[in-house]
Amino acid sequence: MSFPDAASVALRDSQLRRNLAKATGTIRAKRASVVGELPDWQELRSAGRALKDRSLVDLDAQLELLEERVSAAGGQVHWANEADEACSIVAGVARAHGVDEVVKVKSIATDEIKLNEALAAAGVQAVETDLAELIIQLGDDVQSHILVPAIHKNRAEIRDLFARSLDLPDLSDEPEALAEAARVHLRRKFLSARMGVSGANFAVAETGTVCVFESEGNGRMCTTLPEVLVTVMGVEKLVRSWQDMEVFLQLLPRSSTGERMNPYTSFWTGVRPGDGPQEFHLVLLDNGRTGVLADQVGRQALRCIRCSACLNVCPVYSRVGGHAYESVYPGPIGAILTPQLHGMSEGRSLPYASSLCGACYEVCPVEIDIPRVLVHLRGRVVDTEPAWKPEKAAMRAMYRAFASRRSFERAQRAARLGSRPLARRGRIPRLPWPLSGWTETRDLPEPPAETFRDWWRRERGEGRARDEKPVDGEIGGKRGPRDLGAAATPDAAAAPRATSQNGDARRAMLGRIRQALADRPAPVEVPREYRRRSERSRPEIVDLFAERAGEYRATVRRAAPQELRQALTELCRHRGARRLTVPADLPPQWRPDGVELVPDTGLLPNDLDTLDGALTGCALAIAETGTIVLDGGFAQGRRALTLVPDYHLCVVSEDSIADLVPEAVERLEAAVAEGRPLTFISGPSATSDIELNRVEGVHGPRTLHVVIAG
C-alpha cells in the first residue's frame, strides 16, 4: 500500500490522532526544556554532524579496526550482507548453545531484518523485554514510533491485552499496575536466560566498545545476565574514538527521551572474565547501507542516531502515525532511509510524505538536511519511472516545450486551440484524462487569446533575436531530465549485493564501501567549540549534582566522613533493607549497623534476587546530568550487583563529581582502554510507554539512594 492510501486510512482513526497529538506534544516540550538548558547546544549539533561524517568517510578502515579490537577483547565479529544472512548467524549461535529462547533488547535493526520471525522458524523464541515492544509482540502488532513503539495504544487496550495474554483477569489499567505485570512476567525470563540479543546505539572503533541507551533496565538485564550475548549493529553506528562519546552522551538523551541522561547507559568491550556474558558476538549489518553511502546527497541519512526528534515535530507524522509509513523507520527519517535501503525499489511514495516545512532539520541533533534529501529522492523516483507514466510523459512534454523559443510558441498556440472546447467563462473546469487529476481540486485558467509575444510583434514588429543554443546540462541541452536523474543515482545502490553464497561477506561489504566512497569525500574537521571544562566552583558542582540527582527521583543525602556509617544505617532502616550484597573490597567505614552484608563471591542472579539491595561505591558522578557511573573498579563489584536487587545504595565521594559530561568521559578513558564495562545510572529504572505516564521501577532497581561523602 502506498503512503497516500495508508495515510488516508490512518486519518480516519480519531483515537490515533488524539494519542499522537498528546504524545508528540509532550515529548516536544520535554526536549525543548532540556535542550534549552545547554548554552552550547548548536555547537554540540555541529560536532555531532562532523563526528558522524568523519566516521563515514573512512568507514572501511574503521570497521576493520573495530573488528580487531573486539576480537582482541575476546569477542567474535561476523559480517552480514543481507537480512537473511544476519538472521542465520544469530540462529546459528542459538543452535550451537542449545538455546530455544532468547531475551531481546529493543532494536530497530533486528526489526528491520525480521529477526524474531527468522528465529521462530529456527525453533527459537525471541522474547521482547522493552515494555512497549512486549505490548507490540503480545498484540501481534507493529511499531508506530522509534522511541515509543506502542504510542498508538491507550491504557485500556494494554490492560485488555495483558489480561488476555498473561492470564491476569483482575488487572487494572493503572500504568503502575501494567508495568508491574510486565516486570513479574519478564523477571523469570531474565533470571533464567542463557542468551541475550541486542542492537547498539554506538560502537567505538578504537576500543571495540559497544553501547546501549535505555530506561527500563531490560537492556542491562539482557546484556549482563545471559551467558551469551549477540549484538546486531548497522555498520553506520560507528564512531572513531571514545572521546567522541562526550558529544553523543549529550545529544541523544536530550533529543530522544527529553532527559539530561537516560536512566541507564551501558558500555561493554568484548568479554570481561567473571562479569557479564562470557561469549560475545557482534554482527555487522549492511542490508542496503552501502547503497545509501554511495549517494553523495542521500548518505547523510546514515548520520541518524535514532532519536526520533524529527517524528515529534513533523506535521505529517503527528496526524497519520507510524503505520502509514509501512516501515520500521517511520516519520521523516524513514521517508529518506527506507527507500534508499531498498535501492528505491520499495517505499517510493515516502519521499512525498512531507510538506518540506524543514522542522525536522531544525531539531535533528546531527543536522541531517531531510528536506534536501527528500527532494533529491523525489528526483530519483521520477527518473526511474517508466516513460509511459502520465506524470513523466507530461514533464517530458513540458521540457520539450520550454527547450527553445519556437517550441514554446508552438506549445502556446496548441494550448489556445486545444482549450477552446473546454473553456467556460475564462476557466477550464475539467481536463480530459490523464490530466483530469489536476482539475479535480482546482480550475485551470484559459490561455489568453493573445500572448505577450504576439502582442509585441503586432505593436513593435518581428524581433531580430535568434534562439540561443542551450548549454549542455541546462534546460534544452543534450542531457534531458532522465539523464540528469540518472547521473545523480549511485551505481552501488542499484547493484546487487553479494551474499555469503557468492563470496566472503567481509570482503564483499568492504568492497562495496570502497566503491561507494570512490568520490573521495574530503577529510572532516571536527569543531569542538562546546564546553569541555567547568567554570563552577567545587561547592556549586556538588550542589548541582545533588539537585539534578534528586530531580530524577534518587534520594540524596550528604554526610561528613565521620557521619557516613550513620547515614548509611538510617537509609537502610528507612528502606527496610536487612540483607545487602556488597563487593568484596567494600571499605569498613561503609558498613551500616544492623544489616547483614553478603559479599559477592559469584552470586547467581537468583541468589541476588533474594536480597534486599546492594551497597557500592562508584567511579565518578556527573553534576550536570545527576548521573553516577560505575566502571567495575574499587568498591563497585560486578554489574549484576546493582541490577538484580530492588534497591541500590551508592556512596559518592565529593571529589569524584565531575561537572560536565566531557570531563567525565576524559576521566573514564583509562577504564575503557582496559576493557572495563561502564554503567551510567540516572535515577531508578523508569518507563513512559503507557500514555507517556512515567512509572518508576521497571526491571532495574526501583529505589536509588545516594550518599555524598565529603
PDB file of all heavy atoms in Angstrom, residues 83-96:
ATOM      1  N   ALA A  83      19.700  -9.298   5.286  1.00  0.00           N
ATOM      2  CA  ALA A  83      18.912  -9.653   6.465  1.00  0.00           C
ATOM      3  C   ALA A  83      18.970 -11.149   6.743  1.00  0.00           C
ATOM      4  O   ALA A  83      19.189 -11.579   7.884  1.00  0.00           O
ATOM      5  CB  ALA A  83      17.468  -9.195   6.273  1.00  0.00           C
ATOM      6  N   ASP A  84      18.770 -11.967   5.712  1.00  0.00           N
ATOM      7  CA  ASP A  84      18.749 -13.419   5.916  1.00  0.00           C
ATOM      8  C   ASP A  84      20.072 -13.920   6.470  1.00  0.00           C
ATOM      9  O   ASP A  84      20.110 -14.829   7.308  1.00  0.00           O
ATOM     10  CB  ASP A  84      18.433 -14.133   4.601  1.00  0.00           C
ATOM     11  CG  ASP A  84      16.994 -13.924   4.157  1.00  0.00           C
ATOM     12  OD1 ASP A  84      16.184 -13.461   4.988  1.00  0.00           O
ATOM     13  OD2 ASP A  84      16.685 -14.207   2.985  1.00  0.00           O
ATOM     14  N   GLU A  85      21.152 -13.323   6.002  1.00  0.00           N
ATOM     15  CA  GLU A  85      22.468 -13.746   6.466  1.00  0.00           C
ATOM     16  C   GLU A  85      22.657 -13.404   7.941  1.00  0.00           C
ATOM     17  O   GLU A  85      23.169 -14.216   8.724  1.00  0.00           O
ATOM     18  CB  GLU A  85      23.539 -13.064   5.618  1.00  0.00           C
ATOM     19  CG  GLU A  85      24.919 -13.663   5.760  1.00  0.00           C
ATOM     20  CD  GLU A  85      25.887 -13.122   4.720  1.00  0.00           C
ATOM     21  OE1 GLU A  85      25.463 -12.371   3.826  1.00  0.00           O
ATOM     22  OE2 GLU A  85      27.078 -13.465   4.818  1.00  0.00           O
ATOM     23  N   ALA A  86      22.223 -12.210   8.344  1.00  0.00           N
ATOM     24  CA  ALA A  86      22.334 -11.813   9.748  1.00  0.00           C
ATOM     25  C   ALA A  86      21.484 -12.715  10.635  1.00  0.00           C
ATOM     26  O   ALA A  86      21.925 -13.165  11.705  1.00  0.00           O
ATOM     27  CB  ALA A  86      21.911 -10.357   9.915  1.00  0.00           C
ATOM     28  N   CYS A  87      20.259 -12.993  10.195  1.00  0.00           N
ATOM     29  CA  CYS A  87      19.377 -13.868  10.976  1.00  0.00           C
ATOM     30  C   CYS A  87      19.972 -15.263  11.115  1.00  0.00           C
ATOM     31  O   CYS A  87      19.883 -15.891  12.184  1.00  0.00           O
ATOM     32  CB  CYS A  87      18.003 -13.946  10.315  1.00  0.00           C
ATOM     33  SG  CYS A  87      17.068 -12.402  10.362  1.00  0.00           S
ATOM     34  N   SER A  88      20.584 -15.745  10.049  1.00  0.00           N
ATOM     35  CA  SER A  88      21.192 -17.072  10.081  1.00  0.00           C
ATOM     36  C   SER A  88      22.333 -17.131  11.089  1.00  0.00           C
ATOM     37  O   SER A  88      22.510 -18.134  11.790  1.00  0.00           O
ATOM     38  CB  SER A  88      21.693 -17.437   8.685  1.00  0.00           C
ATOM     39  OG  SER A  88      22.342 -18.686   8.689  1.00  0.00           O
ATOM     40  N   ILE A  89      23.099 -16.047  11.189  1.00  0.00           N
ATOM     41  CA  ILE A  89      24.209 -16.005  12.148  1.00  0.00           C
ATOM     42  C   ILE A  89      23.680 -16.094  13.575  1.00  0.00           C
ATOM     43  O   ILE A  89      24.170 -16.878  14.398  1.00  0.00           O
ATOM     44  CB  ILE A  89      25.031 -14.720  11.951  1.00  0.00           C
ATOM     45  CG1 ILE A  89      25.768 -14.762  10.611  1.00  0.00           C
ATOM     46  CG2 ILE A  89      26.018 -14.525  13.097  1.00  0.00           C
ATOM     47  CD1 ILE A  89      26.367 -13.430  10.201  1.00  0.00           C
ATOM     48  N   VAL A  90      22.649 -15.296  13.886  1.00  0.00           N
ATOM     49  CA  VAL A  90      22.093 -15.292  15.245  1.00  0.00           C
ATOM     50  C   VAL A  90      21.482 -16.653  15.571  1.00  0.00           C
ATOM     51  O   VAL A  90      21.693 -17.205  16.661  1.00  0.00           O
ATOM     52  CB  VAL A  90      21.049 -14.174  15.401  1.00  0.00           C
ATOM     53  CG1 VAL A  90      20.476 -14.178  16.818  1.00  0.00           C
ATOM     54  CG2 VAL A  90      21.659 -12.809  15.092  1.00  0.00           C
ATOM     55  N   ALA A  91      20.735 -17.205  14.623  1.00  0.00           N
ATOM     56  CA  ALA A  91      20.128 -18.522  14.848  1.00  0.00           C
ATOM     57  C   ALA A  91      21.198 -19.592  15.036  1.00  0.00           C
ATOM     58  O   ALA A  91      21.042 -20.512  15.853  1.00  0.00           O
ATOM     59  CB  ALA A  91      19.217 -18.884  13.676  1.00  0.00           C
ATOM     60  N   GLY A  92      22.302 -19.464  14.305  1.00  0.00           N
ATOM     61  CA  GLY A  92      23.388 -20.427  14.435  1.00  0.00           C
ATOM     62  C   GLY A  92      24.022 -20.398  15.815  1.00  0.00           C
ATOM     63  O   GLY A  92      24.366 -21.448  16.381  1.00  0.00           O
ATOM     64  N   VAL A  93      24.178 -19.200  16.386  1.00  0.00           N
ATOM     65  CA  VAL A  93      24.722 -19.093  17.744  1.00  0.00           C
ATOM     66  C   VAL A  93      23.769 -19.754  18.737  1.00  0.00           C
ATOM     67  O   VAL A  93      24.190 -20.482  19.642  1.00  0.00           O
ATOM     68  CB  VAL A  93      24.965 -17.614  18.117  1.00  0.00           C
ATOM     69  CG1 VAL A  93      25.398 -17.492  19.573  1.00  0.00           C
ATOM     70  CG2 VAL A  93      26.017 -16.992  17.204  1.00  0.00           C
ATOM     71  N   ALA A  94      22.465 -19.511  18.564  1.00  0.00           N
ATOM     72  CA  ALA A  94      21.476 -20.120  19.463  1.00  0.00           C
ATOM     73  C   ALA A  94      21.524 -21.647  19.373  1.00  0.00           C
ATOM     74  O   ALA A  94      21.513 -22.347  20.397  1.00  0.00           O
ATOM     75  CB  ALA A  94      20.079 -19.601  19.125  1.00  0.00           C
ATOM     76  N   ARG A  95      21.587 -22.169  18.150  1.00  0.00           N
ATOM     77  CA  ARG A  95      21.639 -23.627  17.982  1.00  0.00           C
ATOM     78  C   ARG A  95      22.903 -24.209  18.601  1.00  0.00           C
ATOM     79  O   ARG A  95      22.875 -25.285  19.210  1.00  0.00           O
ATOM     80  CB  ARG A  95      21.571 -23.981  16.493  1.00  0.00           C
ATOM     81  CG  ARG A  95      20.177 -23.921  15.896  1.00  0.00           C
ATOM     82  CD  ARG A  95      20.137 -24.619  14.542  1.00  0.00           C
ATOM     83  NE  ARG A  95      21.064 -24.004  13.597  1.00  0.00           N
ATOM     84  CZ  ARG A  95      20.732 -23.022  12.769  1.00  0.00           C
ATOM     85  NH1 ARG A  95      19.502 -22.538  12.780  1.00  0.00           N
ATOM     86  NH2 ARG A  95      21.626 -22.516  11.940  1.00  0.00           N
ATOM     87  N   ALA A  96      24.022 -23.502  18.446  1.00  0.00           N
ATOM     88  CA  ALA A  96      25.292 -24.010  18.975  1.00  0.00           C
ATOM     89  C   ALA A  96      25.255 -24.166  20.489  1.00  0.00           C
ATOM     90  O   ALA A  96      25.986 -24.984  21.054  1.00  0.00           O
ATOM     91  CB  ALA A  96      26.431 -23.077  18.566  1.00  0.00           C
TER      92      ALA A  96
END
